[in-house]
Every structure is written in structure tokens, then in C-alpha cells.
Amino acid sequence: MSHRSLDAGKKLALAAAMAMAISSAANAADPVQARLTVDAEAAGPRIEPGVYGHFVEHAGRGVYEGLWVGPESPIPNTRGWRNDVVGALRQVGVPVMRWPGGCFADDYDWRDGIGEPARRPVRPNRWWGGVEDNRVGTHEFMDLAEQIGSEVYIAANMGSMPPRAMSHWLEYMTEGGKTTLAEERRRNGRDKPWKVKYVGVGNESWGCGGNMRGEYQADLHNQYATFLRDVVRVASGDGQGNDQLIDVLMERSGPHLDALTLHYYTMPGDWSKKGDATGFDAQQWARTLKSALGIEGRIAAVSKVMDKRDDKKRVALYVDEWGTWYDTPAGASALWQQNSLRDAMVAALSFNIFHRHTARVKMANIAQMVNVLQALVLTEGPRMVLTPTYHAFDLYQPFKGATPLKATLQAPPFRTGDVELPSVEASVARAADGSTLLALVNLDPQRPARVATNLKGSAQGRVLTAPAIDAHNTVARPQAAVPAPYSARAGAEGLALDLPPKSIVVVSVPAAR
Ligand code: AHR
């Protein structure tokens, strides 16, 4: 039994005993009984739209084919970017895109990607295989960002290029005057400078970004950041459960960084055998959701270390790579995986967790946007499919910019083999129009849940569920896991919401007049 205060964990034992009694008395087919008590008080600063951000890396069919088909392609496109995918991304809203990697970023020379496309160099893609012909470079990516309406987060190379290369790239993109680099940009077809809001100073510097010690990375970060102007300076942070690295970076680089990063991948297995994206059983379902919930412990631990040296919370935490990572099927492009209802659950649980940590978590970027890892969109030639993860992002759109509210959720746990999970997970927020937003996730693949609340009035929204735990959308069956309308009306006892097994419900409850 868990009794979770969404901002604190008080009365745990009492609530646990109560719900255990409810749970053991219930028949397995009966709805799980949960209670959500919503407080009018804010639980933290607003949910930055950037936590619904994206990550686009030159890997597999993520950029080439998934997004870029080239201006000559028979697939309808605008200056090379495919119209179907860009349209879907515009609809779901992309507040920020991180590019060009990942590991790719620390092996990338921005000069390879400017100028006459036919003359651009062809390099091996060291991390993800094949070759990179640099057909998509700075001008093309910035065009994509403008077509989608997204802020730009440039992941710049600290691992294998000098600081001058990083500062020159920024100058090339953002300089409005008549410097040599700005004039070169103009000759390459762009007069007006672009806006670059965020610059990542290296990526996974502890690994593919240069295998550095924290102390060395911190010194290097300070050197590179010295030559950056008017951007949010993002230091590469943790991805291996290494709190000490965060401490070193905060101590040595604190004044030279505005944000640092956390990478967290969810998998049912481990790095040697991650598990399959479809065809899994209830145990794999439970292990995956347990792994997804683990991100909260990492955020809390990293935040605690940051608090030691930054109690005013000036430095933000960007979870700039998160999502599921399964074994790539034989014959598939690098990092390709199918995306099922389970992935949508992982997304919903992650959003709820980000909402609980808004004091630090100001950006999060799903890995990755199209055809790579936990993608929102999968493409097959000229066809495109929206994944259950896309629909989870869509359901949660009203939370962008909303203020999280204090709330207490009582919900019994359930057990699958050796894994115990809460049956229900929740997030509550106040939207700008005063309405209350509820996101409720029923993690139990077997039992429905009834969530009684202290709210009045009616709730309107959508539910995402499907008959099978691995339900997924394909070109042949694009509607296997799609949202349906959902509504509930308060009775004498207040508003109660019925959640189907393995479902995500997001509703809005209008402010009482
Ligand atoms: O997202 C795939 C890879 O995962 C990224 O390139 C890297 O930063 C991380 O290890």
C-alpha cells in the first residue's frame, strides 16, 4: 500500500494499513479503490513547457528518412523536411529540440554541415554506424526548428574540438553584425541571425564525450563556457548514478553553468540484455514501469547535491535524455524500436515525476523524436505512424505552463512476481484559466481503479488504453492505441474517476463559479 503525498510522504504507515485492508478485501475483478485529495496550494513553480522537449540525433533513421527526405523527394516536403512528420510535431507542440547528439555531438564539426551540400564532407558516424554526408547541417536544422516552432538547444562539441570552434559556431548562428562569420552565413543563404537559447557544453563527458574525470571536465567546461555569450550554458551531468560528479561540477563550475544534465534510460533488463519492445509479459511490464519510476530517485538525489551549493536553485536540472531503450531487432536501423502502450505509460509516469520537481527540472528531452528509441513518430517510406508515446505527449499538453498543486494520493500497491508497484499514480495542476488538471495513471494491467476525489463538478478529457499490454500502432493498424474521449460527473460524494486497467486519463475540471 502506498500513501503518497505528492509533495511529502507523511502518514505513510496509517494510509498503508488502511489501503491494505481495502485491497485484500477486494476481488481481483473489482476496481482498486484509491483516493486523491487535492489542495488549492501550489506544490512548486510552474511546469516549464521545456519538460515536454525533444532530442534529435544523427542516428539510425532519426534525421535522414524520419524527418529529412530532401527537396527532390517524392515524399511531400518543405525544403527537404517531410510535411507529414513536421505537421504531427507542430500539433503536439515541440517547445525545444536538442541537436545534433548525443554521442554524435562530440564528434561533430559544425563546418562540415554548412555551404554547398554537394561539397560537404562525408564522415563515418562513429557511434551509430554508416556514414554522415552532412546533408543536414546548421541551416537545415534551423529551418526545421522554424517550421516546427521550437526553441533550439545546440549540443556543442567539447570532446574533440577546441573552444574556438564552439564559440565560432555560436557566432556564425547568432551574430547580427558584419563579422566574417556572419557574412559567411549570409553568403550561405541566411541574412537574419538565428536565436539560439541553449548551448550544451559537451555530452556525457564521463563516457562517449571524452571519458573524462569530473575534475578535468569541470576545468574544461569553465574554459569553453568562458567564450559563450547570451545563452543558457548547459554542462553535461550524470547518467550513471554518480552524485559525486554533480558535486564536483557544482563546486568547480557553479558560476560558469546555468544548467546541468541528467540522462536516464528505462529498460526491463540491463545494458547487456535490455528486453523487447513488444511481445513481453506482465513481469516485463512491471519491471519496465518500476525502472521508469526510478527516475524520481535520481532527480531527488541530484537535486539534493545541487542544493548543497545552490540553495537558491539558480542552476536548473535538464533531463535532456530520457525514455525507454530496448534491444534493437535484427535488421532494423540503429536504435530503432517499436513503441507500445507500455511506452506511453513510461512517458506519463515520467511527466508526473517532472511535475513534482519543478523547482529544479526546467527541461526534459525525450530520446528521441522519430525512428530512434522511444520515438513519437515512426516512418516507413512515405508513411508515418503516431506512437502511443506521441498520444501521451498530446494528452499532457494542457500541463505546459500549469502550476502543480499539492495533493495526496492513497492507492494500494500491486505485485507482479518480485516487483511491487503503486496501482495508481497522479499529477494535479492548476491551468492558467483556473481549471484543475488531473493526470491519472493506472499501472495495473489487470484491474480497473476508481479514484475518489474531493473535487466537485465535471471532468472532461481523454483516456489512452488498449486491449493488450504491448498494443502498438503500425502502418497497417495505426489506431491500435489511440486516445478516446473521457468524461466524469461528480456525485453526492464528489468527483470520482474510473480508470480502465493499464490506462492514462487526463482531464480538466473547470473552476467552480
Ligand atoms: O540516445 C542515444 C545515446 O544515449 C546518446 O547519443 C548518448 O548521449 C546516450 O548514451
Side-chain angles (χ1 to χ4, degrees):
M1 162 72 188
S2 74
H3 170 129
R4 156 174 265 150
S5 167
L6 298 182
D7 64 320
K10 291 182 190 152
K11 301 182 208 154
L12 184 64
L14 174 65
M18 273 171 53
M20 197 71 89
I22 296 169
S23 140
S24 55
N27 182 302
D30 290 343
V32 166
Q33 300 293 328
R35 175 143 200 100
L36 179 70
T37 309
V38 178
D39 204 313
E41 212 183 311
R46 77 171 197 151
I47 298 161
E48 288 299 326
V51 303
Y52 290 88
H54 295 256
F55 171 36
V56 187
E57 178 165 26
H58 287 236
R61 293 185 296 119
V63 172
Y64 300 107
E65 207 180 308
L67 283 154
W68 172 268
V69 286
E72 315 302 334
S73 171
I75 298 174
N77 68 84
T78 303
R79 295 180 295 280
W81 297 106
R82 52 192 294 170
N83 294 344
D84 53 353
V85 177
V86 167
L89 293 169
R90 282 181 66 87
Q91 274 203 357
V92 80
V94 176
V96 57
M97 270 190 299
R98 175 174 181 247
W99 173 86
C103 295
F104 181 83
D106 276 302
D107 196 30
Y108 180 65
D109 181 347
W110 67 273
R111 283 211 154 269
D112 289 351
I114 58 168
E116 176 55 41
R119 302 174 66 133
R120 295 182 192 172
V122 178
R123 313 268 186 213
N125 186 326
R126 191 179 302 278
W127 297 104
W128 309 119
V131 290
E132 170 61 55
D133 68 5
N134 286 295
R135 184 58 190 84
V136 169
T138 300
H139 290 252
E140 291 80 16
F141 175 72
M142 290 300 195
D143 184 26
L144 174 67
E146 287 182 343
Q147 288 189 33
I148 291 180
S150 168
E151 293 282 5
V152 167
Y153 174 8
I154 294 292
N157 183 341
M158 181 172 82
S160 65
M161 297 280 287
R164 199 166 173 77
M166 192 182 285
S167 65
H168 275 189
W169 191 9
L170 190 59
E171 182 188 329
Y172 180 87
M173 292 185 281
T174 60
E175 175 59 51
K178 294 231 176 266
T179 69
T180 300
L181 283 168
E183 294 291 51
E184 187 179 3
R185 183 192 68 231
R186 291 188 184 101
R187 281 197 304 281
N188 286 335
R190 173 74 182 200
D191 178 29
K192 216 171 96 195
W194 290 292
K195 184 173 153 236
V196 174
K197 189 160 179 191
Y198 309 94
V199 172
V201 184
N203 168 73
E204 296 195 352
S205 303
W206 41 266
C208 64
N211 289 308
M212 301 171 197
R213 278 185 318 133
E215 290 77 1
Y216 178 71
Q217 183 205 331
D219 288 346
L220 219 50
H221 172 92
N222 299 348
Q223 183 188 349
Y224 280 65
T226 303
F227 303 99
L228 301 178
R229 289 276 173 279
D230 303 326
V231 288
V232 177
R233 302 156 302 170
V234 187
S236 160
D238 175 50
Q240 299 186 302
N242 184 352
D243 293 350
Q244 203 232 335
L245 172 62
I246 302 295
D247 197 37
V248 168
L249 291 171
M250 290 298 288
E251 184 192 4
R252 297 182 175 230
S253 301
H256 306 290
L257 57 82
D258 306 302
L260 51 76
T261 68
L262 174 67
H263 290 180
Y264 188 93
Y265 284 100
T266 288
M267 54 191 73
D270 57 28
W271 287 103
S272 63
K273 175 101 189 77
K274 301 180 194 77
D276 294 328
T278 54
F280 50 83
D281 60 15
Q283 188 69 45
Q284 299 284 301
W285 165 277
R287 290 218 168 106
T288 307
L289 300 192
K290 189 81 182 174
S291 167
L293 291 172
I295 198 173
E296 182 148 34
R298 282 312 298 144
I299 291 173
V302 170
S303 302
K304 197 167 158 201
V305 178
M306 293 173 79
D307 285 350
K308 262 194 348 189
R309 303 192 190 271
D310 177 34
D311 58 355
K312 302 232 169 1
K313 300 192 188 325
R314 186 191 70 79
V315 178
L317 180 62
Y318 294 167
V319 188
D320 68 356
E321 288 184 32
W322 69 272
T324 54
W325 194 327
Y326 307 118
D327 293 319
T328 309
S333 51
L335 303 185
W336 184 90
Q337 60 192 37
Q338 190 45 272
N339 190 292
S340 76
L341 177 66
R342 179 178 62 170
D343 296 271
M345 304 285 291
V346 169
L349 295 174
S350 305
F351 298 148
N352 289 357
I353 291 167
F354 299 152
H355 297 175
R356 288 202 276 275
H357 295 271
T358 54
R360 276 289 177 205
V361 178
K362 307 288 184 185
M363 190 198 292
N365 309 72
I366 188 154
Q368 300 187 5
M369 201 178 224
V370 184
N371 288 340
V372 171
L373 299 180
Q374 192 178 344
L376 276 82
V377 180
L378 299 176
T379 65
E380 256 183 62
R383 313 281 293 273
M384 162 194 91
V385 155
L386 303 181
T387 67
T389 295
Y390 178 96
H391 295 303
F393 269 77
D394 196 27
L395 251 57
Y396 274 75
Q397 285 213 52
F399 281 93
K400 289 176 188 162
T403 304
L405 295 180
K406 290 190 175 168
T408 307
L409 177 66
Q410 289 171 261
F414 72 102
R415 183 168 274 281
T416 311
D418 57 352
V419 180
E420 186 177 275
L421 289 167
S423 50
V424 178
E425 243 286 339
S427 182
V428 187
R430 166 100 356 110
D433 67 359
S435 57
T436 304
L437 304 171
L438 300 181
L440 300 167
V441 184
N442 181 359
L443 289 77
D444 192 326
Q446 305 290 346
R447 289 182 68 185
R450 186 171 179 79
V451 183
T453 75
N454 60 336
L455 299 171
K456 306 266 178 277
S458 61
Q460 299 282 346
R462 286 184 295 167
V463 56
L464 179 61
T465 186
I469 52 177
D470 70 343
H472 52 278
N473 300 327
T474 60
V475 163
R477 285 194 67 215
Q479 306 282 316
V482 293
Y486 181 97
S487 62
R489 184 171 284 283
E493 314 240 295
L495 181 66
L497 297 109
D498 290 305
L499 314 181
K502 51 176 159 29
S503 68
I504 305 162
V505 168
V506 178
V507 292
S508 156
V509 182
R513 287 167 200 259

